[in-house]
Amino acid sequence: EIAVPSVVAGMERAFAEALNYIAYEGGAVSLEINAAGSIDNFGISTAERRGDLNPSEGDFTWELGHRARFTAEDGVARMREVLGDAFASSELAAEALLWVGYSNRLLGENFCKAVIDGAAAQPNAVHFDRAEAAFTEALQIAQDAGAADLMHAAYAGRAAVNVHQGDWTDAVADAEQVPDDFEYAVSYFGDAQEQYNRLYWANANEPYRAHTVADTYYGPDATGDEDLIFSSVDGSDYYGTTGDARVPYDPNPTEQFGDTGDILWYPQLKYDARNAPITLSSGDEMTLIVAENEIREGRWQDAMTLINDLRATVPNDNTGSLGVASRTASTETEAWVHLKRERGIELWLEGRRLGDRRRWIENGVPGAQEDMSSRDLCWPISQTELESNPNVSPADNDQDRAG
């Protein structure tokens, strides 16, 4: 039993490493950041810059994602044996199950197919099913143990999974159990490079300057291709115009960007240290889940009220006070546009954008969104998995991954 805390810490570390790479590389694919330079160390590959997530590109992210899942699931199995009946009331058991849930959510939101421990390929929805079961058990144990933070994380994690499962009744019920000011994050550390927050360290200037916010959906237009790049909702330079502290960058760059030499380097400031945590669930995300359901139910005016109430609480870096410009909509389709935009802002650089884009396309949700029609929206089964697992084949990757 003395080793159980270390086992759970290992689950968090494995998850943190997987999220580190998936949020970073997925952020480049979804144009949350604009990547270039330092490819061999902390950069983004040329294919990923194009949005091409082919089997070879996905080898490392696939390995890390499934290592995180296996570490958590296998660790929980061993904890059940060691703790016996005490497992059902252990805060460590609840935390371990959260890592099972979050690792499967990460895979479900970012990978096209599920392949569990050398088995055949299955729909990626399998990961959401596994995550839901883990969050449900974590919730029960956390409630019995009186661990409020773990309980709220379980509610929030399950709400997000229910969204992908299309179970909006349960998603809203769970979301409404989460306090508005709640936040649950994964930790990073400044002691060893492999434990640094990668989104920060890849762009910390000494030694790396591997991405910029210029020419993304959140930063300034540096090339004059505004019509091709930016959302029609806000035009260019969303942060500079609104001061919305959820998508901050340095507005006064003095350096050039990566290996291109012709774009000013506007570094993101959301993560400002090697040990900056990455949010996994929050009360603000839950508000947007409720708002999305309101639109789905035809109550789009109520959804806009929720969105604007949330925006009224956001720190404004331009004014130094709370609140950014409110949104207006005159139709349900316009409300959808604002909802999609708001989730992109709220979950910026958290490894969530590809999953959102894919589910909206699959569900035929109306309303314009960022143009990623030439970019993949999920990683396929990796080349290493294809070559080492006799139960999968290249044909399992024959599906449309693009947005």
Side-chain angles (χ1 to χ4, degrees), residues 166-185:
D167 188 347
W168 285 93
T169 298
D170 286 346
V172 170
D174 283 346
E176 289 177 340
Q177 298 298 317
V178 180
D180 290 343
D181 61 353
F182 176 75
E183 185 172 354
Y184 195 76

Side-chain angles (χ1 to χ4, degrees), residues 2-340:
I2 195 171
V4 167
S6 297
V7 171
V8 177
M11 297 176 190
E12 180 175 8
R13 177 167 175 174
F15 175 84
E17 187 174 12
L19 178 61
N20 231 354
Y21 281 82
I22 291 169
Y24 177 41
E25 296 179 26
V29 173
S30 61
L31 286 178
E32 293 178 294
I33 52 175
N34 190 350
S38 305
I39 291 173
D40 290 338
N41 296 298
F42 279 84
I44 300 294
S45 73
T46 301
E48 287 174 329
R49 293 187 210 178
R50 297 194 307 265
D52 179 11
L53 296 178
N54 58 64
S56 295
E57 292 297 329
D59 264 346
F60 198 50
T61 50
W62 179 274
E63 176 188 344
L64 291 177
H66 280 279
R67 181 190 301 170
R69 176 196 60 77
F70 178 82
T71 299
E73 292 181 347
D74 183 66
V76 164
R78 287 185 287 141
M79 288 173 63
R80 291 187 196 276
E81 293 180 8
V82 170
L83 296 178
D85 292 342
F87 182 89
S89 58
S90 166
E91 287 191 31
L92 282 171
E95 183 181 349
L97 285 160
L98 287 180
W99 296 124
V100 173
Y102 281 121
S103 62
N104 274 288
R105 187 189 76 177
L106 181 68
L107 289 167
E109 288 185 333
N110 290 284
F111 290 83
C112 307
K113 293 289 182 67
V115 179
I116 307 297
D117 301 337
Q122 303 178 77
N124 71 335
V126 166
H127 287 303
F128 296 127
D129 294 340
R130 295 168 85 92
E132 181 185 17
F135 284 131
T136 297
E137 188 176 6
L139 174 60
Q140 184 61 59
I141 294 173
Q143 288 173 329
D144 292 344
D149 279 354
L150 299 180
M151 179 183 70
H152 292 139
Y155 272 126
R158 192 171 67 176
V161 167
N162 283 329
V163 164
H164 285 280
Q165 293 173 316
D167 188 347
W168 285 93
T169 298
D170 286 346
V172 170
D174 283 346
E176 289 177 340
Q177 298 298 317
V178 180
D180 290 343
D181 61 353
F182 176 75
E183 185 172 354
Y184 195 76
V186 63
S187 300
Y188 291 90
F189 303 92
D191 301 329
Q193 186 168 294
E194 62 270 18
Q195 298 182 54
Y196 296 173
N197 179 311
R198 192 172 184 82
L199 279 154
Y200 166 77
W201 186 239
N203 215 37
N205 198 33
E206 297 180 1
Y208 305 116
R209 190 161 61 242
H211 56 84
T212 179
V213 178
D215 297 321
T216 69
Y217 297 118
Y218 309 92
D221 178 17
T223 65
D225 291 334
E226 180 177 326
D227 291 341
L228 300 177
I229 296 173
F230 296 104
S231 167
S232 60
V233 179
D234 295 307
S236 63
D237 199 5
Y238 172 78
Y239 173 69
T241 301
T242 67
D244 190 326
R246 293 172 295 178
V247 289
Y249 65 85
D250 183 349
N252 300 301
T254 59
E255 305 288 344
Q256 290 184 323
F257 164 40
D259 59 3
T260 62
D262 60 355
I263 300 177
L264 286 175
W265 177 58
Y266 293 84
Q268 66 79 33
L269 298 178
K270 179 172 183 171
Y271 304 118
D272 58 359
R274 291 177 293 183
N275 64 349
I278 296 180
T279 299
L280 303 180
S281 294
S282 69
D284 290 343
E285 179 193 354
M286 299 301 103
T287 295
L288 294 178
I289 287 175
V290 175
E292 184 166 346
N293 182 65
E294 292 294 277
I295 302 176
R296 289 177 179 274
E297 295 295 320
R299 298 184 293 268
W300 58 268
Q301 296 95 333
D302 294 336
M304 292 305 302
T305 297
L306 289 169
I307 290 171
N308 285 324
D309 286 348
L310 174 58
R311 291 176 66 82
T313 68
V314 172
N316 188 319
D317 289 345
N318 288 346
T319 66
S321 59
L322 293 181
V324 294
S326 61
R327 304 288 199 186
T328 59
S330 56
T331 66
E332 180 178 309
T333 296
E334 289 180 3
W336 270 116
V337 172
H338 291 308
L339 184 280
K340 294 174 185 178

Side-chain angles (χ1 to χ4, degrees), residues 305-380:
T305 297
L306 289 169
I307 290 171
N308 285 324
D309 286 348
L310 174 58
R311 291 176 66 82
T313 68
V314 172
N316 188 319
D317 289 345
N318 288 346
T319 66
S321 59
L322 293 181
V324 294
S326 61
R327 304 288 199 186
T328 59
S330 56
T331 66
E332 180 178 309
T333 296
E334 289 180 3
W336 270 116
V337 172
H338 291 308
L339 184 280
K340 294 174 185 178
R341 181 69 162 154
E342 203 66 23
R343 276 188 66 94
I345 293 165
E346 184 63 44
L347 305 180
W348 187 54
L349 298 179
E350 295 176 6
R352 310 292 301 279
R353 194 58 174 168
L354 295 180
D356 270 349
R357 288 297 310 273
R358 197 164 70 253
R359 71 180 174 85
W360 287 324
I361 291 170
E362 291 173 352
N363 293 336
V365 170
Q369 53 196 358
E370 298 95 335
D371 180 12
M372 291 196 289
S373 57
S374 62
R375 292 173 170 261
D376 291 339
L377 297 181
C378 57
W379 274 276

